[in-house]
């Protein structure tokens, strides 16, 4: 029942927020906060809880009949990996509500309804183990995100929203075809029609069939990650989305792609994924370098951060297909740290645009004197993005490189150049925006600094990124059983379970 409540509370909260928007603009905001806070209170007691007796990784689960004639059930399972990602989703959802308090003034009820429904879809993605139910939540989270971009975005919001839908829906169709093919192949082999992930593991099929089905799943998740060359929707969507939309996109929705690679692609098709690993790692390295290069060339601060996400998530793709303990631990930390640091940078860009009405770094400079608190937080998260030791991004990227070194020395050496490129664009952002000579016109009003509400949010995110950097062991302990189970499922016959090499 607990897992169902995690879905019902934000879903119903979204309906109430929409209905209450006509009465008072603050009501939807408080409803959203109460709904997400209730989910957080339900989730916190699960931290550190032991797995269920007789289960390899699951903390809690529920399996109810839904469409039994088609082998579809309402199956939700929670392990340590799902738990940390759901916590990230809820926390960033709360942050999105707080930082949108003054930014969103039109159709406030509908805005918070879509925010809560997007959160519901993401939580469902992290819980669903019936593949039909997973696909349902995968599609559910896209619709409200489209409206968040199209209705509350910036100048070219309709173009960005339509592009987002075309890329994600087109790739989702490939995944749906792959799901149906896998189910029917399993039915032909066993006589049992089911969409149950646990039952579909180890389905017998030819190597060619497995490769094509794996590719259908991979493309869907690579688009969402996003991996080069499927990344072109991301800069437009980030640039045009409202601040809360950018936070959810960078902090949460991109992680669903990485989660899909971990949970479905490699475990369902271990031999095909093993064969495909060099190609996937090549795409990961290409994303690291290409994203960093494009980030360095941007003048729009929001677009720079968007391209930096392509680079950072390239490390995730590299780590997933290295498929060993160190690399997968790094993938989890990188997902969490990227969600915190990049989400914080988008919040600061939104606050900056609200104050000086531009995102163009050519029109900035010397902001530290006018807005020292905003500039100080900006520097902290910029150096977190470049991977400064002691902050969470360093732990994630270091472990990924350490794990990928065991899988492929050449890929690791080339990927490490991304750390240098990351330092270049991060320091460029700090120098052009916060230091140097001010470009403000004589006599113009001094922009006001961060409010207490923003300072509280940013202070919490600073503590989170420092905590991940200095003491990530609780995260490792939480996800260890789930990662061990995934490695066992995703290792082809004849390989050592903890050290599968591409």
């Amino acid at each position: 029942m607990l897992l169902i409540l995690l879905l019902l509370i934000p879903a119903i909260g979204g309906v109430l927020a929409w209905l209450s928007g006509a009465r008072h603009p603050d009501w939807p905001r408080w409803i959203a906060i109460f709904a997400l806070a209730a989910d957080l209170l339900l989730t916190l007691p699960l931290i550190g809880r032991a797995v269920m007796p007789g289960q390899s990784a699951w903390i809690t689960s529920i399996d109810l009949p839904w469409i039994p004639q088609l082998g579809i059930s309402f199956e939700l399972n929670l392990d340590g990996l799902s738990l940390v990602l759901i916590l990230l989703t809820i926390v960033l959802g709360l942050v999105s509500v707080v930082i949108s308090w003054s930014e969103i003034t039109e159709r406030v009820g509908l805005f918070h309804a879509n925010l809560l429904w997007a959160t519901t879809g993401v939580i469902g993605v992290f819980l669903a183990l019936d593949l039909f139910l997973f696909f349902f939540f995968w599609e559910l989270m896209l619709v409200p995100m489209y409206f968040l971009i199209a209705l509350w975005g910036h100048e070219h919001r309709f173009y960005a929203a339509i592009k987002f839908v075309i890329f994600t829906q087109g790739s989702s169709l490939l995944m749906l075809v792959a799901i149906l093919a896998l189910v029917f192949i399993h039915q032909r082999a066993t006589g049992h029609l089911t969409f149950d992930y646990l039952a579909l593991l180890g389905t017998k099929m030819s190597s060619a069939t497995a490769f094509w089905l794996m590719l259908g799943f991979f493309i869907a998740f690579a688009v969402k990650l996003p991996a080069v060359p499927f990344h072109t929707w991301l800069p437009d969507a980030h640039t045009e989305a409202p601040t809360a939309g950018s936070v959810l996109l960078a902090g949460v929705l991109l992680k669903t792609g990485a989660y899909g690679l971990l949970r479905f692609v490699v475990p369902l098709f271990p031999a095909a994924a093993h064969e495909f690993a060099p190609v996937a790692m090549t795409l990961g390295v290409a994303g690291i370098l290409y994203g960093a290069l494009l980030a360095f060339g941007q003048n729009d601060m929001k677009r720079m951060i968007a391209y930096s996400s392509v680079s950072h998530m390239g490390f995730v793709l590299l780590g997933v297909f290295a498929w060993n303990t160190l690399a997968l631990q790094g993938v989890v930390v990188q997902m969490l740290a990227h969600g915190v640091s990049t989400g914080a940078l988008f919040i600061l860009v939104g606050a900056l645009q609200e104050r000086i009405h531009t995102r163009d770094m050519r029109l900035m400079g010397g902001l530290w004197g006018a807005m020292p608190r905003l500039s100080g937080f900006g520097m902290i998260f910029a150096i977190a993005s470049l991977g400064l030791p002691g902050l969470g991004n360093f732990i994630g990227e270091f472990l990924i490189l350490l794990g990928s070194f065991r899988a492929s020395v050449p890929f690791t050496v080339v990927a490490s150049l991304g750390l240098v490129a990351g330092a270049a664009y991060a320091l460029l952002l700090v120098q052009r925006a916060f230091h140097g000579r001010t470009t403000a016109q004589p006599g113009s009003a001094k922009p006001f600094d961060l409010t207490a509400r923003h300072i509280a949010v940013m202070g919490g995110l600073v503590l989170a990124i420092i905590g991940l950097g200095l003491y990530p062991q609780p995260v490792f302990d939480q996800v260890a059983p789930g990662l061990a189970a995934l490695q066992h499922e995703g290792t082809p016959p004849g390989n050592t379970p903890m050290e599968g090499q591409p």
Side-chain angles (χ1 to χ4, degrees), residues 60 146 228 403:
T60 184
Y146 166 82
V228 173

Side-chain angles (χ1 to χ4, degrees), residues 481-495:
L483 291 183
L486 287 174
Q487 283 182 275
H488 176 73
E489 295 161 356
T491 303
N495 287 62

Side-chain angles (χ1 to χ4, degrees), residues 263-286:
R263 178 73 74 194
F264 298 102
V265 171
V266 183
L268 285 172
F269 312 101
H274 180 82
E275 178 186 351
F276 186 70
V279 177
M281 295 177 78
T282 300
L283 295 178
V285 172

Side-chain angles (χ1 to χ4, degrees), residues 8 16 28 56 60 79 138 176 230 236 246 265 308 374 407 477:
L8 282 180
L16 296 177
S56 60
T60 184
D79 64 357
W138 182 266
L176 177 60
F230 310 108
D236 294 306
S246 295
V265 171
S308 77
L374 186 150
D477 293 339

